[in-house]
Amino acid sequence: DIVMTQSPVSLPVTPGEPASISCRSSQSLLYSNGYNYLDWYVQKPGQSPQLLIYLGSNRASGVPDRFSGSGSGTDFSLKISRVEAEDVGVYYCMQALETPQTFGQGTRLEIK
Amino acid sequence: VQMVQSGAEVKEPGASVKVSCQASGYTFTHFVIGWVRQAPGQGLEWMGYISTYNGNTDYAQNLRGRITMSRDTSKNTAYMELRNLKSDDTAMYYCARGHEDGDYSYAYWGQGTLVTVSS
């Protein structure tokens, strides 16, 4: 199985400041079609997870442009250019390259 | 697009549970439906998915033999049945629909169904 490792585990951020979460996979998520099969999800308190970024760098519908995904192969990151209070939650990366699909352990973003 | 799941369940160890996920707002057979669960205070665990087009399934290895995913295209509904329940199956269970551009990226999620296994 592909192991997904996120860092940090906890991320306190001041509103208006940037934030970055790292995700590393145990094997490359770059497929022969040129796409990286890496998604980012956020689970806000008391809610279902929601898709933020798919195929490494594509924002899902309705996701603000302050969120961006980058990386290739085994190293990926999610960046928030200016954190807002509504961004509080747990962020997960997930590989969609092969089954079993696997998630990182999550990064809890909190507001300072 | 909406994914509406059935209500909370309380089951005894050894029993079975069947959770439903009714989809609306799109053509049901055009997208896979995945199932993900979350134990209390824990992270997300992929359980498997079903092709709503032909019924093909792929399950997590640790659940094979106890899990069945199915669908009823006449009702636009997917089902997840888990048998021989154990206490560590206590979790919130989510269904989620695949994305238009990435079949196995989950764009739309149900509200979750809490399954509690307790004697």
Side-chain angles (χ1 to χ4, degrees):
Chain A
D1 297 0
I2 298 176
V3 177
M4 307 298 291
T5 304
Q6 288 181 232
S7 61
V9 172
S10 178
L11 182 58
V13 185
T14 300
E17 293 297 303
S20 181
I21 300 170
S22 172
C23 176
R24 182 164 292 179
S25 57
S26 61
Q27 62 192 74
S28 177
L29 302 183
L30 179 61
Y31 192 56
S32 55
N33 60 8
Y35 290 107
N36 285 281
Y37 281 75
L38 186 283
D39 301 333
W40 290 96
Y41 297 85
V42 61
Q43 187 173 30
K44 297 181 179 181
Q47 296 185 18
S48 303
Q50 59 189 84
L51 180 66
L52 289 173
I53 303 288
Y54 64 97
L55 296 177
S57 59
N58 298 277
R59 271 190 303 276
S61 176
V63 174
D65 61 8
R66 65 178 185 277
F67 290 90
S68 62
S70 62
S72 185
T74 61
D75 288 293
F76 299 90
S77 62
L78 174 71
K79 291 182 170 57
I80 310 173
S81 59
R82 295 172 307 280
V83 169
E84 298 186 3
E86 67 182 30
D87 299 334
V88 164
V90 182
Y91 290 75
Y92 296 93
C93 59
M94 185 200 80
Q95 63 83 13
L97 180 68
E98 62 181 42
T99 61
Q101 295 183 251
T102 45
F103 291 89
Q105 77 276 29
T107 295
R108 184 175 300 275
L109 186 148
E110 59 185 50
I111 299 296
K112 282 184 183 175
Chain B
V1 175
Q2 278 198 304
M3 313 293 285
V4 178
Q5 297 181 224
S6 49
E9 304 263 14
V10 179
K11 297 290 183 180
E12 293 191 346
S16 299
V17 69
K18 192 170 186 177
V19 178
S20 67
C21 172
Q22 185 170 38
S24 61
Y26 71 96
T27 302
F28 181 70
T29 54
H30 283 188
F31 300 95
V32 301
I33 289 179
W35 290 86
V36 173
R37 69 179 178 179
Q38 185 173 39
Q42 302 301 308
L44 302 174
E45 178 189 8
W46 180 83
M47 302 176 69
Y49 62 68
I50 182 168
S51 164
T52 51
Y53 175 71
N54 58 19
N56 287 351
T57 55
D58 194 342
Y59 302 138
Q61 178 68 39
N62 65 322
L63 296 173
R64 283 179 197 161
R66 292 202 298 135
I67 191 169
T68 300
M69 294 178 187
S70 59
R71 92 280 192 231
D72 183 337
T73 57
S74 69
K75 295 181 179 178
N76 289 351
T77 300
Y79 303 92
M80 187 284 300
E81 181 181 32
L82 194 59
R83 300 177 291 279
N84 190 19
L85 289 166
K86 311 171 198 303
S87 58
D88 58 6
D89 291 318
T90 293
M92 186 71 82
Y93 288 75
Y94 297 101
C95 65
R97 197 208 83 175
H99 190 278
E100 290 86 352
D101 297 328
D103 285 349
Y104 308 105
S105 301
Y106 298 112
Y108 300 95
W109 292 66
Q111 82 276 20
T113 296
L114 181 62
V115 176
T116 303
V117 183
S118 174
S119 54

